[in-house]
Amino acid sequence: MSVERVHRMSHAVDAAAPAGVLYNVVADTAPWPLFLPDTVHVERLDSTGTTDRFSQWADTDGRPRPTLWRRTLDAHRRRIDFRRERPADPVTTQGGSWSVEELAPGWSRLTLEQDITVAGNRSADVERVLASARDGARSVLGRLGAVAERWRRLDGMLLSFEDSVRIPGPGEPVHEFLYRVGSWPGRVAHVVGAEVTEVSAGVQRTSMVNLADDGSAYTTEEVRVCFPAAGRIVFKRTRPHPLLAAHAGEWSVEPDATGVTVVCRHDVLLDAGAVERMLGPGADPARAGRHVREVLVRESRATLEPAQQYARESVRSLRPV
């Protein structure tokens, strides 16, 4: 009988940011889809203030899938202990800690400690698992450190907003329309081309050709995770609008006694380097934010209108003649 060895590793990054800022970037997982390229969606499942549990959909190998994590947060010590629930073979246990140390005023160090066990301790499995964990740690540390260093202007670069429409009737045809994104060209005004790949059940990769206000075309690509029973589709644009560094959001169909409310939420991170390039000299993040909001709300409404029409047609087709 073999005894599984605990493999430990430690990685750190120094950032030109206050320790409290760096800790908060790690503690608040909600905006991670905007900060971490591989993260598609994060959903908090429960929280007590000092503990939380969340699902993180990550796209690390071309097949987005969820991982479950449980954490204990200590803001006073700036430490977060974490443990993965039900890790995938051949990993049997995975956990560790985040800690933040103040080095000097405005400078701090973020350290990620990990411990991993691998079933059978086979060399090939161990090397592959540790290499993946090592690469992931370095990438995440670098990204979160860079986010923390932009803390002074980050609030002006992050935007969240939503649009909604009220539809009398059942929610199933509305969700079906939103799911069948490949049928949008010719039905959604700004979409002139769409390609969809079903990666696995409920997980899609899409590429859409969109028309801008001036008639020029631009392409967006996204990963979508669909939850039909809950009437939800969450998405992460891996190739967002040219003014954005990152874009994530959700379509939700919320039923009640007389119909449904369809909501589209957008969470975006502006690309500081694209603001003047796209909008001209002197343009600032506030103007870019207004422009992006106008574009995305207009696109949402342009999608919701045919969704509403599709729902009406579906209801009429079910009525007896």
Side-chain angles (χ1 to χ4, degrees):
M1 178 178 179
S2 63
V3 177
E4 293 175 353
R5 176 187 170 190
V6 179
H7 303 273
R8 303 183 188 278
M9 60 182 69
S10 177
H11 298 87
V13 66
D14 294 348
V21 169
L22 192 53
Y23 173 83
N24 287 333
V25 168
V26 178
D28 184 7
T29 58
W32 279 11
L34 301 180
F35 299 157
L36 304 177
D38 291 342
T39 297
V40 174
H41 176 64
V42 174
E43 181 130 356
R44 177 175 286 179
L45 303 176
D46 55 63
S47 174
T48 66
T50 58
T51 65
D52 70 3
R53 183 169 173 265
F54 65 91
S55 172
Q56 180 181 8
W57 284 80
D59 183 13
T60 55
D61 58 1
R63 297 182 65 84
R65 55 176 60 87
T67 54
L68 292 173
W69 301 90
R70 188 179 296 276
R71 305 190 303 174
T72 301
L73 298 89
D74 188 336
H76 179 71
R77 296 171 58 208
R78 299 194 188 100
R79 179 185 174 94
I80 301 171
D81 295 311
F82 63 86
R83 185 64 47 185
R84 180 176 174 181
E85 298 183 5
R86 301 191 296 276
D89 291 336
V91 177
T92 52
T93 65
Q94 182 177 4
S97 67
W98 297 91
S99 59
V100 179
E101 173 190 1
E102 184 178 26
L103 302 177
W107 277 92
S108 50
R109 175 172 296 159
L110 175 62
T111 301
L112 172 58
E113 306 273 354
Q114 296 186 82
D115 60 80
I116 300 172
T117 61
V118 179
N121 293 318
R122 290 178 291 274
S123 297
D125 288 341
V126 170
E127 290 175 6
R128 176 170 54 83
V129 167
L130 297 187
S132 176
R134 189 180 304 113
D135 292 344
R138 290 170 176 166
S139 175
V140 169
L141 283 166
R143 294 282 180 173
L144 296 182
V147 168
E149 289 185 335
R150 304 199 306 269
W151 67 279
R152 285 186 176 87
R153 64 180 190 274
L154 191 60
D155 283 347
M157 306 298 286
L158 287 169
L159 300 171
S160 293
F161 50 90
E162 63 182 35
D163 194 31
S164 63
V165 66
R166 177 71 186 165
I167 300 177
E172 289 80 1
V174 179
H175 187 276
E176 180 185 2
F177 181 87
L178 297 175
Y179 183 87
R180 295 177 58 193
V181 64
S183 69
W184 288 6
R187 306 173 81 176
V188 177
H190 64 278
V191 179
V192 295
E195 295 181 2
V196 184
T197 301
E198 293 280 342
V199 179
S200 57
V203 180
Q204 301 173 327
R205 288 189 182 279
T206 72
S207 176
M208 286 193 291
V209 181
N210 309 271
L211 290 181
D213 294 342
D214 60 4
S216 62
Y218 66 94
T219 300
T220 57
E221 297 174 356
E222 70 183 41
V223 177
R224 306 186 347 144
V225 182
C226 308
F227 304 96
R232 300 173 60 211
I233 298 174
V234 299
F235 62 86
K236 163 77 172 282
R237 287 196 172 174
T238 54
R239 184 179 176 182
H241 184 279
L243 260 174
L244 299 178
H247 180 188
E250 176 178 343
W251 294 95
S252 60
V253 181
E254 303 169 1
D256 57 37
T258 60
V260 296
T261 300
V262 188
V263 181
C264 184
R265 193 192 76 245
H266 299 278
D267 303 313
V268 303
L269 175 63
L270 296 173
D271 182 350
V275 172
E276 291 196 357
R277 185 177 71 248
M278 293 290 299
L279 300 181
D284 60 9
R287 178 182 168 191
R290 290 192 298 270
H291 178 77
V292 165
R293 180 169 186 150
E294 290 172 0
V295 169
L296 295 181
V297 167
R298 184 167 60 249
E299 291 183 354
S300 297
R301 290 176 180 172
T303 305
L304 291 172
E305 288 173 4
Q308 186 175 30
Q309 181 62 29
Y310 182 80
R312 289 171 177 164
E313 293 172 354
S314 298
V315 170
R316 283 199 297 267
S317 68
L318 293 174
R319 289 174 180 167
V321 178

